[in-house]
Amino acid sequence: MRFDIITIFPEQVEDHLKYGVSRIAESKGLVSYFVHDLRKWTRDVHKSVDDRPYGGGAGMVMRIEPIYEALRELKREESKVVLTTPRGKRLDQSLMRKLTTSDDHYIILCGHYEGFDERVHKHLVDIEVSIGDYILSGGELAALVLVDGMTRLVPGVLGNEQSSIEESFEMGALEYPHYTRPEEFNGWKVPGVLLSGNHARITAWRKAQSEKTTRSNRIDIITETKHAKKS
């Protein structure tokens, strides 16, 4: 898998990719990351990537010309261009899995200001995603969320492939609680069932705890899962 990330703050993205799962994925040769400064494709002396909106209004709008030139240079036949925007489809674990295949090439555009010229949305983009119903100062954080979530789903990236399956949102519920040593701390004890060695009881306990946590904290997940099964 290859990611090309286009941004006006390349250092912000590059610094993040030096650590954690992205570093591991790249060192194994499973994923490659290329970060590009959008200003490279500007033609004016000020390297402008934005301009005032036609019709007036607050803020500035990302111009189409440098984005078009960047995509013309980076895009291949199999490339998918992704835009991080509040208008996009909500990013969840199901969408992460649908997007992730080992031989894909994604070009991610990081927005700023009031967003992109509408012609970028209509003519240059394949996928639009949103990481939540809130506004960020720039698209870099959203792009990194997408890249991180997809990277860890690439086969071979995680040390234990089961780790990406037994997680929150994978089975239509939040993950069950975890405990480790010591068995008791400040009078707070590890549940006895986890010390029993009885795998059937442990599995049943984890399932019950997962359901309990989901109903308490994110009942919407259960509702959405039931709706998806009906449809």
Side-chain angles (χ1 to χ4, degrees), residues 95-130:
L95 181 56
M96 289 275 199
R97 284 204 173 275
K98 288 178 182 178
L99 293 175
T100 305
T101 57
S102 59
D103 59 349
D104 271 346
H105 175 217
Y106 287 95
I107 302 174
I108 304 177
L109 301 174
C110 301
H112 275 272
Y113 315 117
E114 295 302 309
F116 295 88
D117 184 298
E118 184 64 19
R119 290 165 291 187
V120 174
H121 294 269
K122 288 186 175 181
H123 302 293
L124 302 182
V125 171
D126 300 304
I127 305 164
E128 297 191 17
V129 298
S130 168

Side-chain angles (χ1 to χ4, degrees), residues 54-139:
Y54 281 121
M60 304 290 276
V61 177
M62 299 284 283
R63 298 174 59 183
I64 189 173
E65 302 102 320
I67 295 170
Y68 178 84
E69 294 298 330
L71 294 178
R72 189 167 69 164
E73 180 175 328
L74 299 175
K75 198 172 181 182
R76 310 170 181 174
E77 184 176 348
E78 73 276 13
S79 302
K80 297 180 180 67
V81 180
V82 183
L83 195 63
T84 57
T85 167
R87 291 167 43 168
K89 185 174 182 180
R90 189 182 67 179
L91 184 63
D92 57 18
Q93 195 66 12
S94 175
L95 181 56
M96 289 275 199
R97 284 204 173 275
K98 288 178 182 178
L99 293 175
T100 305
T101 57
S102 59
D103 59 349
D104 271 346
H105 175 217
Y106 287 95
I107 302 174
I108 304 177
L109 301 174
C110 301
H112 275 272
Y113 315 117
E114 295 302 309
F116 295 88
D117 184 298
E118 184 64 19
R119 290 165 291 187
V120 174
H121 294 269
K122 288 186 175 181
H123 302 293
L124 302 182
V125 171
D126 300 304
I127 305 164
E128 297 191 17
V129 298
S130 168
I131 64 170
D133 296 340
Y134 46 85
I135 305 299
L136 298 172
S137 58

Side-chain angles (χ1 to χ4, degrees), residues 1-230:
M1 178 177 286
R2 170 177 171 138
F3 291 101
D4 282 273
I5 304 168
I6 302 174
T7 170
I8 60 173
F9 295 116
E11 295 85 358
Q12 180 182 358
V13 178
E14 290 168 344
D15 285 347
H16 177 89
L17 295 175
K18 294 176 183 177
Y19 305 98
V21 69
S22 52
R23 179 189 62 79
I24 294 170
E26 193 160 40
S27 68
K28 290 182 176 181
L30 298 171
V31 184
S32 57
Y33 310 94
F34 299 88
V35 183
H36 309 275
D37 189 342
L38 180 61
R39 298 186 192 280
K40 169 186 172 182
W41 289 281
T42 57
R43 295 181 178 178
D44 65 298
V45 66
H46 300 295
K47 296 188 178 297
S48 303
V49 297
D50 62 306
D51 208 334
R52 293 185 297 273
Y54 281 121
M60 304 290 276
V61 177
M62 299 284 283
R63 298 174 59 183
I64 189 173
E65 302 102 320
I67 295 170
Y68 178 84
E69 294 298 330
L71 294 178
R72 189 167 69 164
E73 180 175 328
L74 299 175
K75 198 172 181 182
R76 310 170 181 174
E77 184 176 348
E78 73 276 13
S79 302
K80 297 180 180 67
V81 180
V82 183
L83 195 63
T84 57
T85 167
R87 291 167 43 168
K89 185 174 182 180
R90 189 182 67 179
L91 184 63
D92 57 18
Q93 195 66 12
S94 175
L95 181 56
M96 289 275 199
R97 284 204 173 275
K98 288 178 182 178
L99 293 175
T100 305
T101 57
S102 59
D103 59 349
D104 271 346
H105 175 217
Y106 287 95
I107 302 174
I108 304 177
L109 301 174
C110 301
H112 275 272
Y113 315 117
E114 295 302 309
F116 295 88
D117 184 298
E118 184 64 19
R119 290 165 291 187
V120 174
H121 294 269
K122 288 186 175 181
H123 302 293
L124 302 182
V125 171
D126 300 304
I127 305 164
E128 297 191 17
V129 298
S130 168
I131 64 170
D133 296 340
Y134 46 85
I135 305 299
L136 298 172
S137 58
E140 285 75 19
L141 293 176
L144 289 170
V145 167
L146 176 63
V147 169
D148 186 274
M150 291 176 64
T151 294
R152 63 194 314 283
L153 292 176
V154 174
V157 170
L158 298 182
N160 184 346
E161 294 301 318
Q162 195 69 13
S163 296
S164 67
I165 299 174
E166 295 182 357
E167 290 185 316
S168 296
F169 311 114
E170 285 290 354
M171 305 300 293
L174 297 177
E175 195 172 3
Y176 51 78
H178 295 279
Y179 294 86
T180 188
R181 294 179 178 81
E183 292 182 19
E184 182 176 345
F185 181 78
N186 274 358
W188 307 322
K189 298 180 179 180
V190 174
V193 64
L194 298 178
L195 309 175
S196 68
N198 186 321
H199 296 295
R201 286 184 60 208
I202 293 172
T203 298
W205 180 88
R206 285 175 169 171
K207 184 175 185 296
Q209 291 296 313
S210 175
E211 292 175 354
K212 178 181 178 181
T213 302
T214 306
R215 290 187 179 280
S216 175
N217 296 354
R218 290 290 305 275
I219 189 65
D220 59 294
I221 296 175
I222 296 175
T223 303
E224 290 175 4
T225 301
K226 288 181 178 179
H227 177 74
K229 288 181 179 179
K230 288 180 180 180

